Amino acid sequence: MDFRHLKSFITVAEELNIGRAAKRLCISQPPLTRQIQQLEEDVGASLLIRTARGVELTEAGRVFLGEARNILSLARLAVERSHKAALGKLGRIDVGIFGSGIFGTIPKMLLAYRQACPEVNVVLHSMNKGEQVEALRQRRINVGFNRLLAYEPDIVSEVITMEGLYLALYESHPLVATGDIHWRELAGQPLVMFPSSTRPNFIDRAIELCKLEGFEPVIAQEVGDAVYAIALVASGFGLCIVPESATNLRLPGVRYRRLVRDPLPMVDLSCIYRRDDDSAILQSFLDVGRTFRAE
Amino acid sequence: MDFRHLKSFITVAEELNIGRAAKRLCISQPPLTRQIQQLEEDVGASLLIRTARGVELTEAGRVFLGEARNILSLARLAVERSHKAALGKLGRIDVGIFGSGIFGTIPKMLLAYRQACPEVNVVLHSMNKGEQVEALRQRRINVGFNRLLAYEPDIVSEVITMEGLYLALYESHPLVATGDIHWRELAGQPLVMFPSSTRPNFIDRAIELCKLEGFEPVIAQEVGDAVYAIALVASGFGLCIVPESATNLRLPGVRYRRLVRDPLPMVDLSCIYRRDDDSAILQSFLDVGRTFRAE
DNA sequence: CATGAGTCATGCAAAATTTGCATGACTCGA
DNA sequence: TCGAGTCATGCAAATTTTGCATGACTCATG
């Protein structure tokens, strides 16, 4: 049994006449007759009733006709789906994402990817930078999002976007009255810092900038996640330096002001993946990510 | 693309080595290599990554592997289902049945058929004798159940069972006291008669027997259906001659007594079908019916 | 660093399969 | 009775598939 047999049988069943079916299939009648005979022998049942004016379907033939159509459409689907998989438009991608990554650019990018490749199942895994690198190596994720990654030989890091830094203040704080806030004004202010993940991290970067301005920051509290940090700001614990994307988290009693100095302090949002990963799905994902970088 | 390509690909995907797969398929390695190449060209995507130790699946290959397995199992199923259809064990059978046929032998037979051929969809249609013959000719039903069918050249009638006749009486009737009731005792009793369908019918038969006993029956009421007739008996309208199977209908206030004379009056329950219908489904249905006749 | 075992790919002739032509056997309506 | 139309079959030609020999390449190992 063969796809050719199925196609032939379907055509014969549609024409109810072997000669006409042969014409439609662009072969002559005898080979078509033989194909049907072979098929019947293979199936082990008579599929056609030969009459003087053509053929009729037996019950087995009617059943087989339906099945044959199913099989052929499934075959077409198989080719189509393989094609899509080869283009990275079908399958599954596991994405590592840090706690506060769900604000700002990343969800927009995921949404754009979903529209570009609706048949790819995107699975998000919450993990910090170190866990992402480990998970990439163990192939538990295909791609990760983080900031300030130290160089790793087997990992590629692509900057998706650079973000300015903002200060989160409780609304009764005197600095709220000003517009942009210069970094030096952080001197002496109690700061809530995050995250305490693999170095170099966001805290190191903030401390470094304070030193450049000539003061040691006052660290009121260290927490693991931006949401916790901003919640503490809301209850008056102190101020908090956050990347621009975190300002999308609106909590009552919290205001955000841009932090400035020369040069303007910024932090990257990057996409990381295995250097040896040439899978189409990763490529299609990165392609969407790169359109964001271009903006 | 054909089934051979799919089987080859599945084997290669299982072995991850073309040479070993070829051994399992009992062919040499070069033709298998070519089959995979053909398949890849047909699908329009690379399915395997050739390495020094064998092959790996690409993402398209993984997707195609799943689809190929689906297709092959569907193909096996197609053969199996056609086989079953050829044996009359799969499909649909439309059965014509008269109103009071749902008591007694017919439901037992339908149950037995359901167990014998669980994949045949049995569709019941309520219709009287004349409608059944018409529906058979128009192929709206495959088989019908009825009694006392007059000969029709294109219809075969097979007796499933012969049933004795019973008298339905309201419980306060004097004849309830006796055991079997002789036909002659019906003289002068008001009778509820059914059904008034195509002749010859059950009424004709009853009247004929009355005349043989030398009296004209007193017909209190004619109704179309046994259920109505027995309901009228329950409310004291009169007595009713019913086939044995109808005694399975128990209504409060109704008693049944066997009707006797010499020879014992009986009526057939028969199965009818088109003489030119040689479909396997009908045969499988009749086979079950015939086991009932044998009892 | 050379070697060798193992892999998949390819050229080519032989084998197997499929096709088309000619024709047969049969049915059915004019 | 005949003729047009159907499916079936014998046979040689065309096509496809196969196996053998061999090539190109990778990688572990001495």
Side-chain angles (χ1 to χ4, degrees):
Chain A
M1 189 165 86
D2 200 342
F3 285 114
R4 194 173 39 108
H5 290 114
L6 299 188
K7 283 177 195 152
S8 298
F9 177 72
I10 291 172
T11 309
V12 170
E14 282 168 357
E15 294 289 340
L16 292 177
N17 178 308
I18 296 185
R20 277 205 304 278
K23 213 168 284 175
R24 243 181 69 186
L25 290 166
C26 301
I27 58 176
S28 65
Q29 171 260 320
L32 184 53
T33 292
R34 286 207 180 89
Q35 278 182 35
I36 302 295
Q37 289 169 340
Q38 285 170 11
L39 184 61
E40 287 180 309
E41 191 175 351
D42 240 42
V43 172
S46 162
L47 301 175
L48 299 178
I49 298 164
R50 279 74 172 171
T51 72
R53 284 193 312 283
V55 296
E56 293 171 15
L57 290 177
T58 63
E59 307 197 26
R62 265 189 290 277
V63 168
F64 193 80
L65 175 61
E67 303 287 327
R69 285 184 169 135
N70 274 349
I71 291 172
L72 285 188
S73 70
L74 201 57
R76 276 188 286 272
L77 207 65
V79 171
E80 192 185 320
R81 286 171 57 86
S82 302
H83 237 160
K84 279 186 179 169
L87 296 174
K89 289 188 167 296
L90 180 75
R92 166 183 171 141
I93 188 166
D94 290 90
V95 180
I97 183 173
F98 57 94
S100 56
I102 39 169
F103 308 110
T105 305
I106 296 178
K108 283 184 202 159
M109 187 194 145
L110 292 177
L111 202 63
Y113 182 64
R114 214 189 163 80
Q115 287 180 326
C117 304
E119 288 175 287
V120 176
N121 187 13
V122 178
V123 182
L124 296 183
H125 303 266
S126 175
M127 45 179 80
N128 67 33
K129 204 160 36 179
E131 291 168 339
Q132 285 182 23
V133 172
E134 187 62 16
L136 276 178
R137 291 193 177 126
Q138 295 178 0
R139 324 225 157 179
R140 296 202 317 272
I141 63 173
N142 307 95
V143 64
F145 285 102
N146 54 39
R147 306 181 193 277
L148 298 166
L149 184 75
Y151 174 77
E152 303 276 353
D154 55 337
I155 303 288
V156 180
S157 174
E158 279 190 26
V159 175
I160 296 294
T161 186
M162 295 298 293
E163 298 183 42
L165 299 185
Y166 279 68
L167 189 64
L169 321 89
Y170 42 94
E171 58 189 354
S172 60
H173 193 282
L175 284 173
V176 169
T178 48
D180 293 347
I181 298 175
H182 196 280
W183 193 277
R184 80 177 79 89
E185 303 196 62
L186 296 178
Q189 297 284 357
L191 298 176
V192 179
M193 301 289 257
F194 76 95
S196 53
S197 65
T198 323
R199 325 203 81 145
N201 58 27
F202 198 58
I203 298 182
D204 297 332
R205 186 71 194 286
I207 294 176
E208 183 190 325
L209 285 166
C210 290
K211 285 185 178 159
L212 284 176
E213 288 291 339
F215 67 92
E216 280 286 334
V218 182
I219 299 180
Q221 181 72 42
E222 275 193 28
V223 296
D225 186 84
V227 179
Y228 292 159
I230 295 171
L232 291 183
V233 170
S235 50
F237 243 73
L239 313 181
C240 180
I241 302 161
V242 301
E244 182 173 0
S245 61
T247 65
N248 287 303
L249 173 60
R250 304 280 175 184
L251 289 188
V254 175
R255 295 288 178 274
Y256 297 98
R257 292 291 178 270
R258 177 186 290 270
L259 270 174
V260 295
R261 73 183 291 278
D262 192 27
L264 203 60
M266 302 201 89
V267 69
D268 68 304
L269 172 66
S270 296
C271 201
I272 67 173
Y273 51 91
R274 288 204 321 280
R275 189 175 296 281
D276 65 355
D277 185 347
D278 57 354
S279 73
I281 257 186
L282 174 64
Q283 288 310 313
S284 72
F285 189 83
L286 293 177
D287 284 346
V288 173
R290 283 163 190 154
T291 64
F292 276 72
R293 187 177 52 189
E295 284 166 12
Chain B
M1 185 165 90
D2 67 48
F3 286 113
R4 195 173 38 106
H5 290 116
L6 299 188
K7 284 176 196 151
S8 298
F9 177 71
I10 290 172
T11 308
V12 170
E14 283 169 355
E15 294 289 340
L16 294 178
N17 178 308
I18 297 185
R20 275 204 306 276
K23 213 167 287 175
R24 244 181 69 187
L25 291 166
C26 299
I27 58 175
S28 64
Q29 169 259 322
L32 184 52
T33 292
R34 286 204 181 90
Q35 278 182 34
I36 302 296
Q37 288 170 340
Q38 285 171 11
L39 185 61
E40 286 181 310
E41 191 174 352
D42 240 43
V43 173
S46 163
L47 301 176
L48 297 178
I49 299 165
R50 279 73 171 170
T51 71
R53 284 193 311 283
V55 296
E56 292 170 18
L57 290 177
T58 63
E59 307 197 27
R62 266 189 289 277
V63 168
F64 193 80
L65 175 61
E67 304 288 325
R69 286 188 169 132
N70 273 349
I71 291 171
L72 284 189
S73 70
L74 200 58
R76 276 188 287 271
L77 207 64
V79 171
E80 190 184 322
R81 285 170 58 86
S82 302
H83 237 161
K84 280 186 179 170
L87 296 174
K89 291 190 166 292
L90 179 76
R92 166 183 169 141
I93 188 166
D94 289 90
V95 180
I97 183 173
F98 57 94
S100 57
I102 37 168
F103 307 110
T105 305
I106 296 178
K108 283 183 204 161
M109 186 193 146
L110 292 177
L111 203 61
Y113 182 64
R114 214 189 164 78
Q115 287 181 326
C117 304
E119 288 176 287
V120 175
N121 187 13
V122 178
V123 182
L124 296 183
H125 303 268
S126 176
M127 45 179 78
N128 66 32
K129 204 159 37 179
E131 291 167 338
Q132 285 181 22
V133 171
E134 187 63 15
L136 275 178
R137 291 193 176 125
Q138 295 177 359
R139 324 224 157 181
R140 296 204 316 275
I141 62 173
N142 307 95
V143 65
F145 285 101
N146 54 38
R147 306 182 193 277
L148 297 166
L149 185 76
Y151 175 77
E152 303 276 353
D154 55 338
I155 303 287
V156 180
S157 174
E158 279 190 26
V159 176
I160 296 294
T161 185
M162 296 297 293
E163 299 183 40
L165 298 186
Y166 280 67
L167 188 64
L169 321 87
Y170 43 96
E171 56 190 354
S172 60
H173 193 282
L175 282 174
V176 168
T178 46
D180 294 349
I181 297 174
H182 196 277
W183 195 279
R184 78 175 80 87
E185 303 196 62
L186 296 177
Q189 298 284 357
L191 297 176
V192 179
M193 301 288 257
F194 75 96
S196 52
S197 65
T198 324
R199 321 202 84 145
N201 58 28
F202 197 59
I203 300 182
D204 296 332
R205 186 72 195 284
I207 294 174
E208 183 190 326
L209 285 165
C210 292
K211 285 185 177 156
L212 284 176
E213 288 292 339
F215 66 94
E216 282 284 334
V218 181
I219 297 179
Q221 183 71 44
E222 275 193 27
V223 296
D225 186 84
V227 178
Y228 291 160
I230 295 171
L232 292 184
V233 170
S235 50
F237 243 74
L239 313 182
C240 180
I241 302 160
V242 300
E244 182 174 358
S245 63
T247 65
N248 287 303
L249 174 59
R250 305 279 176 184
L251 289 188
V254 176
R255 296 288 178 274
Y256 297 99
R257 292 291 178 270
R258 178 185 290 269
L259 270 173
V260 295
R261 72 181 293 274
D262 191 29
L264 203 62
M266 302 201 89
V267 69
D268 69 304
L269 171 65
S270 297
C271 200
I272 67 172
Y273 51 91
R274 289 202 321 279
R275 190 175 297 281
D276 65 355
D277 186 346
D278 57 354
S279 72
I281 255 185
L282 174 64
Q283 288 310 314
S284 71
F285 189 83
L286 293 177
D287 285 345
V288 172
R290 283 165 192 153
T291 65
F292 276 73
R293 186 178 52 189
E295 287 166 12

